[in-house]
Amino acid sequence: MPFLTGLQTGLALIMAIGAQNAFVLRQGIRREHVFVVCFICALSDAVLIALGVGGLGAISGVAPWILPLMRWGGVAFLLAYGARAFWAALKGGAALEAEGAAETKLSKIVLTVVALTWLNPHVYLDTVVLLGSIAAQFGAARWEFALGGMTGSFLFFFTLGYGARLLAPVFAKPVAWRVLDVLVGLVMWSIAFKLALG
């Protein structure tokens, strides 16, 4: 059944912890703009899947400069975001505070999640190219496959974002935030180096 295949394929591709997922997890633990973050991630995936199924995966053949541009833009962003996470870990002092604690501005959160999503070349390779090519095998039922992939994205991001609340007691301690920030920094930099090395 194309829908189930799309759902399984979408979930398999998205589950690996990456820059975007680490950010969703962090926002979920902080209980800060969780719906907006999850919705932007899932909607972005849905748009990219639709573009891939619609045949836009061939764009790299028409404009070969696009992928290198996205690659190096992604490297620069991930290095900067990783450095920010390491600085937060070094500085310390963060803890999950009770309701009423100062929130990060929504505009800053939106810009960060959009950058983490759209500046990552792997997102294009996974959703546009890979899912697009798999969907093509289903012929007329390719949009059913795409719907399955899109459903998988919505299920995953909202489960990750809202499920992260279960970790709130752990993150009441500042040391847990330091560990998370170090892990986020390592994930960001490892992905940046993988991108840089091709």
Side-chain angles (χ1 to χ4, degrees):
M1 184 177 178
F3 179 85
L4 286 178
T5 305
L7 179 67
Q8 292 168 345
T9 307
L11 285 171
L13 288 174
I14 206 169
M15 279 196 187
I17 191 69
Q20 186 189 47
N21 294 352
F23 184 75
V24 173
L25 180 65
R26 192 174 203 287
Q27 292 307 115
I29 291 168
R30 290 177 57 90
R31 301 183 186 195
E32 189 175 66
H33 307 299
V34 180
F35 180 85
V36 173
V37 168
C38 295
F39 185 75
I40 289 172
C41 291
L43 183 63
S44 296
D45 261 15
V47 169
L48 290 165
I49 290 168
L51 291 174
V53 172
L56 198 66
I59 195 169
S60 60
V62 178
W65 53 269
I66 287 180
L67 287 179
L69 179 68
M70 290 188 311
R71 174 182 171 198
W72 291 108
V75 167
F77 179 80
L78 290 168
L79 286 174
Y81 195 91
R84 184 173 165 257
F86 285 128
W87 176 251
L90 184 66
K91 202 169 64 165
L96 190 60
E97 297 172 11
E99 298 285 329
E103 283 192 349
T104 307
K105 287 184 179 178
L106 179 59
S107 59
K108 186 175 179 183
I109 296 293
V110 168
L111 286 174
T112 302
V113 76
V114 166
L116 285 171
T117 302
W118 292 89
L119 289 179
N120 181 0
H122 285 299
V123 169
Y124 296 92
L125 294 174
D126 288 348
T127 54
V128 177
V129 178
L130 185 56
L131 283 178
S133 61
I134 294 171
Q137 299 171 16
F138 289 94
R142 69 186 186 279
W143 288 106
E144 189 180 338
F145 173 89
L147 185 60
M150 293 172 188
T151 302
S153 290
F154 275 89
L155 282 173
F156 175 79
F157 283 117
F158 279 93
T159 300
L160 179 63
Y162 285 99
R165 294 177 181 212
L166 299 174
L167 297 173
V170 174
F171 286 91
K173 300 173 184 174
V175 68
W177 279 107
R178 283 187 154 179
V179 170
L180 180 65
D181 283 327
V182 167
L183 291 175
V184 167
L186 289 172
V187 167
M188 303 292 178
W189 278 14
S190 67
I191 294 169
F193 288 126
K194 284 178 190 172
L195 283 177
L197 296 174

